[in-house]
């Protein structure tokens, strides 16, 4: 996650999603000047990448929890929407 700024890396999944939702709302309003829109879009892509990494990490942890010392005990793939 080296290309994601430290302020985003420190965000929880929920905080990053909230920030992303605010960005989407601003962009959808069409009220931001072009340069601001580009900056918002760029930050939004970084927030999305961060959220995806958080979800992948959570999925991996969930899959590990379904394993016992004797092998799989019903590991299921977690699919996010």
């Amino acid at each position: 996650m080296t290309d994601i700024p430290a302020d985003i890396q420190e965000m929880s999944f929920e905080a990053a999603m909230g920030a992303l939702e605010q960005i989407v709302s601003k962009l959808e309003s069409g009220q931001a000047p072009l340069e601001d829109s580009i900056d918002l879009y760029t930050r939004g892509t970084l927030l999305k990448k961060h959220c995806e990494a958080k979800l992948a990490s959570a999925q991996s942890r969930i899959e590990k929890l379904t394993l016992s010392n004797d092998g799989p005990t019903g590991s299921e793939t977690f699919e996010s929407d």
Side-chain angles (χ1 to χ4, degrees), residues 64-75:
K64 287 178 184 175
L65 288 173
T66 61
L67 298 176
S68 72
N69 291 337
D70 297 331
T73 60
S75 174

Side-chain angles (χ1 to χ4, degrees), residues 38-50:
I38 293 169
D39 291 342
L40 287 168
Y41 183 84
T42 300
R43 184 160 176 87
T45 58
L46 294 170
L47 287 163
K48 178 183 175 281
K49 188 174 183 178
H50 176 68

Side-chain angles (χ1 to χ4, degrees), residues 3-80:
D3 58 338
I4 297 178
D7 67 314
I8 293 177
Q9 287 184 26
E10 294 171 3
M11 287 182 172
S12 68
F13 175 81
E14 292 78 10
M17 280 299 295
L20 185 55
E21 288 171 359
Q22 289 177 352
I23 287 173
V24 169
S25 179
K26 287 178 186 177
L27 289 172
E28 287 180 340
S29 76
Q31 298 300 312
L34 179 60
E35 286 301 315
D36 291 348
S37 293
I38 293 169
D39 291 342
L40 287 168
Y41 183 84
T42 300
R43 184 160 176 87
T45 58
L46 294 170
L47 287 163
K48 178 183 175 281
K49 188 174 183 178
H50 176 68
C51 288
E52 289 171 342
K54 289 278 191 184
L55 286 174
S57 174
Q59 178 180 355
S60 176
R61 290 176 29 210
I62 289 169
E63 288 174 353
K64 287 178 184 175
L65 288 173
T66 61
L67 298 176
S68 72
N69 291 337
D70 297 331
T73 60
S75 174
E76 295 181 18
T77 301
F78 174 79
E79 295 184 25
S80 60

